[in-house]
């Protein structure tokens, strides 16, 4: 089972965010609103979806960490991602997944507003860093629609992986 520090997961997530921002920085409103044949979402909708998902994932992390903190579950800042999480991550990498209704984009949000929402939710995640580094983030789990029961550290890891998945989708669109 791979082991990382919370700081490394945060750094990975920050690298993906930086790349997302630079990738969409020069996209025109027209490009952002094109719906390619056979696709369900525009680039603007993809970025909106990422912002909705990160907000929810951050809330889950907060809830799990606060419970671990209240129960006195301590940590040294290292986390181990479960074999189950790794297996499900490998499975999801090669399939198209239907987003649950609660995280589907409205289609009415410009990229700039979604990026502002992402900045806000990332700020809230940054505020959780001290808890992630001192509280056992694997003590409690919360169910994900595809991954099943996953820990706060796995949710944190998934934030970056989810964003990276959609970043690649955006890049493919821009090449077309």
């Amino acid at each position: 089972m791979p082991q990382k520090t919370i700081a490394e997961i945060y750094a990975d997530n920050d690298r993906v965010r930086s790349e997302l921002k630079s990738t969409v920085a020069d996209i025109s409103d027209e490009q952002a609103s094109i719906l390619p044949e056979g696709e369900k979402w525009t680039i603007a909708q993809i970025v909106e979806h990422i912002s909705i998902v990160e907000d929810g994932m951050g809330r889950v992390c907060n809830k799990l960490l606060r419970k671990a903190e209240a129960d006195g579950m301590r940590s040294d800042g290292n986390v181990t991602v479960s074999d189950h999480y790794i297996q499900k991550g490998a499975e999801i990498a090669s399939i198209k997944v239907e987003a649950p209704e609660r995280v589907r984009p409205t289609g009415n949000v410009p990229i700039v507003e979604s990026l502002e929402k992402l900045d806000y939710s990332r700020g809230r995640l940054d505020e959780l860093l001290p808890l992630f580094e001192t509280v056992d983030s694997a003590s409690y789990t919360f169910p994900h629609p595809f991954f099943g029961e996953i820990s706060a550290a796995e949710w944190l890891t998934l934030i970056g992986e989810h964003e990276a998945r959609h970043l690649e989708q955006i890049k493919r669109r821009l090449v077309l």
Side-chain angles (χ1 to χ4, degrees):
M1 291 184 272
Q3 192 171 41
K4 279 189 168 185
T5 65
I6 291 297
E8 289 170 329
I9 297 169
Y10 268 82
D12 290 344
N13 289 356
D14 287 345
R15 276 191 293 280
V16 173
R17 175 59 49 81
S18 178
E19 190 174 350
L20 173 70
K21 284 181 164 185
S22 67
T23 299
V24 301
D26 296 325
I27 294 177
S28 69
D29 289 340
E30 182 182 340
Q31 277 181 299
S33 63
I34 294 171
L35 182 63
E37 188 175 326
E39 295 294 340
K40 292 186 178 186
W41 295 348
T42 65
I43 290 174
Q45 288 173 309
I46 294 168
V47 178
E48 179 187 0
H49 165 73
I50 295 168
S51 74
I52 294 166
V53 168
E54 181 169 309
D55 180 64
M57 288 180 171
R59 290 174 193 273
V60 168
C61 289
N62 184 49
K63 178 182 174 182
L64 294 173
L65 290 171
R66 297 294 177 191
K67 182 168 176 43
E69 178 185 39
D71 291 346
M73 310 299 255
R74 308 304 302 162
S75 172
D76 63 2
N78 288 310
V79 291
T80 301
V81 176
S82 70
D83 288 337
H84 171 78
Y85 178 88
I86 293 167
Q87 175 195 348
K88 294 303 274 184
E91 287 175 27
I92 202 169
S94 62
I95 61 173
K96 195 165 189 169
V97 180
E98 185 77 25
E101 183 67 38
R102 69 184 170 277
V103 295
R104 290 187 191 146
T106 64
N108 302 321
V109 181
I111 286 179
V112 67
E113 286 182 32
S114 294
L115 291 174
E116 288 170 1
K117 184 176 178 183
L118 281 168
D119 285 343
Y120 177 77
S121 62
R122 185 56 54 94
R124 287 194 5 241
L125 272 174
D126 288 346
E127 291 171 6
L128 291 177
L129 179 59
L131 273 180
F132 266 115
E133 291 180 326
T134 59
V135 173
D136 183 1
S137 58
S139 299
Y140 300 104
T141 61
F142 189 84
H144 180 276
F146 182 82
F147 283 81
E149 294 291 331
I150 60 175
S151 70
E154 291 167 337
W155 279 101
L156 181 66
T157 302
L158 186 57
I159 287 170
E161 291 173 351
H162 175 260
E163 192 166 321
R165 177 183 174 108
H166 286 298
L167 173 58
E168 292 308 312
Q169 183 182 19
I170 291 168
K171 286 178 179 179
R172 286 191 304 273
R173 297 269 180 94
L174 294 174
V175 173
L176 299 177

